[in-house]
Amino acid sequence: MSEKIYFNTSHKFSVKKSLVSLTTRLHHTIAPKHAKKTARKLLLTPARTKPKNAEPVGLIKSEVQCQEGILKTYQLGTGPVWILTHGWSGSASQFYPLMEHIASRGYTALAYDHPGHGQSGGVYGHIPAFVHGLEAILDSVDQVAGLVGHSMGTASAIECHHQKLVDKPMLLIAPVLDYLDNLFGSVARSGYSMRLFKAVVSEVEDQYRYPIQSIDPYNKLKIRRAQTIIVHDQGDKFTKYSESKRAAEEMDQVKLVTTHGQGHGRVMKCPEVMASFDELIA
């Protein structure tokens, strides 16, 4: 259900949206505790999607423990390690074609399922959980050559302050650089009670001591000095191409590669992504 909320881009009036608004506001008024419990399950539970691509030959599966539970990892190739971090309701399997390309270039591709995603443990998904998961993966390897992120995985990667990422290049695919506007705008468009949504957000903030207003991928990308290439489809319906374009115009270390007709998901295995990785390792 959360997919339908976060990936809702329609600004049109609908009876369903009005009913969602009415019922969620009424629920929060009549039974606030139960409403927050229900909302947490609805808003923070990602869809566990089936694998998107066939497993590459030689894929090594393992596990890494983090505070959210067991994270399933998928490794291919040998050599310096590139970390691959997927987005909301995604999985590591979306990266299999790119992992094969990375391995063919003499590197190790290490992808993983975020907490609450794919085959990993955990129930809920949000930026604090994504960041903690990424930190656990980074702690599990000796050195990192770079990072590839997609969608919400890009936001958590930029948010992560782990020392192993400080001076490392990044390949950001369909990034969410305007995370707060994207998040609150999507929930508002769904008709869901914003008051109830903010109550759930407040609980997560308190639990993780992670103020949501501190999440600012765009401006944190601006202060990174390492090379970054963004691959973004101009027609992406879920993350704003305009923000990627602005970043490339304003930030000397950021380059934008524009695709057409690849959307938000297919872009992950398009030729432009493969070529951009080659450019980063050249």
Side-chain angles (χ1 to χ4, degrees), residues 56 76-78 82 84 95-109 148 171 268-281:
L76 190 68
T78 57
W82 276 77
L84 297 98
F95 282 122
Y96 286 167
L98 178 56
M99 291 174 70
E100 290 181 302
H101 182 81
I102 291 173
S104 74
R105 295 300 190 262
Y107 291 85
T108 296
V148 179
L171 173 55
M268 296 175 74
K269 54 184 179 181
C270 71
E272 289 86 349
V273 163
M274 311 301 172
S276 294
F277 177 80
D278 290 346
E279 182 174 339
L280 284 174
I281 63 172

Side-chain angles (χ1 to χ4, degrees), residues 32-195:
K33 288 185 178 180
H34 184 265
K36 283 193 287 185
K37 182 178 180 180
T38 301
R40 191 181 182 99
K41 182 177 180 180
L42 175 69
L43 298 170
L44 302 182
T45 305
R48 290 188 184 263
T49 54
K50 295 180 180 180
K52 303 289 186 182
N53 301 288
E55 287 188 8
V57 175
L59 186 71
I60 299 172
K61 298 181 182 180
S62 189
E63 297 179 346
V64 169
Q65 177 70 49
C66 81
Q67 67 181 68
E68 304 296 324
I70 295 292
L71 300 180
K72 292 291 185 179
T73 65
Y74 309 83
Q75 182 175 316
L76 190 68
T78 57
V81 177
W82 276 77
I83 305 293
L84 297 98
T85 170
H86 66 78
W88 178 263
S89 288
S91 72
S93 67
Q94 293 174 281
F95 282 122
Y96 286 167
L98 178 56
M99 291 174 70
E100 290 181 302
H101 182 81
I102 291 173
S104 74
R105 295 300 190 262
Y107 291 85
T108 296
L110 177 59
Y112 65 100
D113 294 330
H114 278 293
H117 292 71
Q119 300 300 311
S120 287
V123 176
Y124 301 120
H126 41 63
I127 285 289
F130 271 45
V131 171
H132 287 159
L134 176 55
E135 289 175 341
I137 296 296
L138 291 167
D139 285 338
S140 74
V141 296
D142 292 331
Q143 293 183 328
V144 175
L147 178 141
V148 179
H150 174 247
S151 195
M152 186 169 154
T154 64
S156 57
I158 296 170
E159 283 290 310
C160 182
H161 300 304
H162 201 288
Q163 187 64 28
K164 290 177 183 175
L165 286 182
V166 170
D167 59 348
K168 299 303 186 294
M170 287 187 176
L171 173 55
L172 306 181
I173 307 169
V176 187
L177 297 180
D178 59 335
Y179 176 77
L180 292 181
D181 287 345
N182 185 288
L183 176 65
F184 282 90
S186 297
V187 175
R189 286 192 296 274
S190 75
Y192 206 86
S193 166
M194 290 303 296
R195 182 165 168 261

